[in-house]
Amino acid sequence: MEKEFINGYRRMGIDIEPLEDGTVKVTQARLINGYILNQKQLIERGKELYPDAKIIPVAYSLNVDDITVEWIESKMQEFGIKRNDLIKQLAIDRSSLSLIMSGKRELSKPMRATFFYYFLTYELNRDFREHLDSL
């Protein structure tokens, strides 16, 4: 049963790993449906299976290296978003966006994260609307 429980969480992007010293590491390795857990929630997940163990929570960490101009362009195409939408919705001035999209200005880590969460919002909204339509 323990193995089934751990595998169930793994399918949800959460790895539960009992360590040799009796502690348990609970890691949110991937985002499933855009749901991000905080440390307290990860500890609660670990305590469900190991109530007496010390739980080491490892919260989700975004790898911004994957966010490139090409990634942004593919997401813009996927969601039908135009540059003017980005300018208005992300409060980026036209010249800054133009420099970013042309590769003349490097994408900073905070800007990469901004684009990731911006498009994640679109993805979640799309999935939610599709779910409502199927009811």
Side-chain angles (χ1 to χ4, degrees):
M1 180 150 150
E2 176 181 323
K3 204 172 215 175
E4 288 177 30
F5 190 84
I6 290 172
N7 286 335
Y9 269 117
R10 184 168 287 126
R11 284 190 297 277
M12 293 186 294
I14 298 169
D15 296 331
I16 298 176
E17 179 185 0
L19 304 175
E20 289 182 19
D21 64 358
T23 62
V24 176
K25 185 165 85 170
V26 181
T27 305
Q28 185 171 16
R30 300 179 327 282
L31 290 186
I32 305 295
N33 297 325
Y35 193 69
I36 300 172
L37 299 174
N38 62 34
Q39 291 183 5
K40 180 181 177 191
Q41 292 167 318
L42 291 170
I43 290 170
E44 290 169 355
R45 300 313 188 271
K47 289 288 185 184
E48 288 176 4
L49 189 56
Y50 301 99
D52 298 323
K54 178 181 184 225
I55 307 297
I56 301 168
V58 181
Y60 176 76
S61 179
L62 175 63
N63 179 4
V64 295
D65 294 337
D66 297 337
I67 312 303
T68 63
V69 171
E70 293 79 18
W71 183 90
I72 294 167
E73 289 172 340
S74 73
K75 291 295 185 180
M76 289 173 67
Q77 185 176 0
E78 178 181 345
F79 296 111
I81 295 171
K82 305 293 182 206
R83 284 188 181 201
N84 279 340
D85 297 323
L86 294 177
I87 290 165
K88 292 174 184 174
Q89 295 173 347
L90 293 177
I92 300 173
D93 64 80
R94 186 175 304 280
S95 62
S96 292
L97 182 62
S98 189
L99 289 170
I100 289 169
M101 299 305 283
S102 69
K104 293 180 181 174
R105 179 177 292 167
E106 187 176 337
L107 276 165
S108 66
K109 282 187 176 188
M111 186 59 75
R112 289 172 191 255
T114 297
F115 279 109
F116 175 82
Y117 288 108
Y118 172 78
F119 288 113
L120 178 61
T121 301
Y122 267 87
E123 183 178 325
L124 294 173
N125 284 330
R126 178 197 60 204
D127 294 349
F128 182 66
R129 283 191 298 272
E130 287 173 0
H131 173 72
L132 288 178
D133 290 343
S134 71
L135 296 177

